[in-house]
Amino acid sequence: MSSKAEIRAIIKEKMKNLEYSSKVSMDEEIRKKIYNLREYYDSRSIFSYVSQEREVDTIDLINRSITCGKIVCVPLIVKKNTALELRIIKDFKTDLEIGNFNILEPKKHTKKINHRNIDIFFIPGVAFGTKCERLGRGGGYFDRFLLGINGLKIGLAYEFQIFDYLPIEKHDISMDMIITEKRVITCV
């Protein structure tokens, strides 16, 4: 049984060694699975993290969702109370800027939206369990954010981020579904 710190170190090493061409191919397979989901097709609104280099890419998902007329919101990190605010974006290039932790965040002019108005939440994670458990980076931002969520929570991951067992605690929030390049794990 590995600790959270050990799992984070294992995944960090695998991400570091992930070849760009493999990542692009796996990202495409994950997107295909998302776009084929009835829940995605029927959704009017989505939340997505804005991916960084070593995460499942969400840029195409965000842009495609905007083009399809969905309401798209992304997180704004509020450091003073370690919280996430949901902000609507209508244009990827003009509504985002480098923010906290050197990640793309919505600009101040973007409109806040209540999480109760969102149908699907695409959530990042360092690792996920086969029972839809989620291990984040350790800051707790997403666990606190996910406490009051009613919409469908979908974790996006590469297959090597899936574990049979994760050491979870009471405050760790599970997903309803996990999508990798190889499969869709449903837990609802």
Side-chain angles (χ1 to χ4, degrees):
M1 179 180 349
S2 299
S3 71
K4 287 183 175 187
E6 290 168 329
I7 291 170
R8 286 184 180 109
I10 290 166
I11 297 303
K12 183 178 182 180
E13 187 64 24
K14 287 185 178 188
M15 286 291 195
K16 187 174 107 179
N17 294 323
L18 182 59
E19 290 184 21
Y20 178 76
S21 60
S22 295
K23 181 184 183 327
V24 169
S25 175
M26 292 188 302
D27 288 337
E28 181 60 31
E29 289 303 313
I30 292 168
R31 281 193 297 274
K32 285 180 189 175
K33 287 176 177 50
I34 292 169
Y35 300 151
N36 286 326
L37 280 178
R38 169 59 61 188
E39 294 88 344
Y40 174 76
Y41 180 81
D42 290 343
S43 69
R44 291 171 300 146
S45 56
I46 70 156
F47 164 90
S48 179
Y49 64 97
V50 181
S51 57
Q52 296 177 285
E53 184 180 348
R54 300 291 179 196
E55 292 178 315
V56 172
D57 182 75
T58 59
I59 308 308
D60 186 73
L61 169 64
I62 291 168
N63 283 321
R64 180 176 179 150
S65 297
I66 290 169
T67 301
C68 288
K70 296 181 188 296
I71 295 169
V72 176
C73 61
V74 299
L76 175 67
I77 298 171
V78 183
K79 283 177 96 172
K80 66 181 173 194
N81 60 359
T82 61
L84 297 179
E85 265 182 22
L86 279 65
R87 298 291 188 109
I88 296 172
I89 63 167
K90 297 180 178 183
D91 185 295
F92 190 88
K93 290 181 180 172
T94 61
D95 286 346
L96 298 174
E97 64 187 358
I98 299 293
N100 292 301
F101 304 110
N102 205 30
I103 61 174
L104 285 174
E105 291 186 325
K107 292 180 180 178
K108 302 296 182 214
H109 75 269
T110 56
K111 182 180 171 190
K112 289 183 194 179
I113 186 170
N114 188 305
H115 64 79
R116 289 181 187 88
N117 298 327
I118 306 301
D119 298 321
I120 299 178
F121 294 82
F122 292 101
I123 307 297
V126 171
F128 294 91
T130 54
K131 294 184 179 115
C132 292
E133 314 95 297
R134 176 186 171 272
L135 176 64
R137 292 186 179 192
Y141 284 91
F142 274 96
D143 284 320
R144 284 186 293 280
F145 166 70
L146 292 170
L147 276 173
I149 298 304
N150 296 326
L152 185 67
K153 298 179 295 291
I154 301 177
L156 301 181
Y158 302 120
E159 192 64 30
F160 64 78
Q161 293 175 273
I162 305 298
F163 289 75
D164 289 332
Y165 169 82
L166 280 183
I168 59 168
E169 299 172 45
K170 272 194 252 182
H171 65 270
D172 293 322
I173 305 294
S174 293
M175 302 290 98
D176 299 314
M177 184 183 292
I178 300 166
I179 300 176
T180 76
E181 73 279 10
K182 297 203 183 289
R183 59 184 164 159
V184 175
I185 302 169
T186 304
C187 297
V188 289

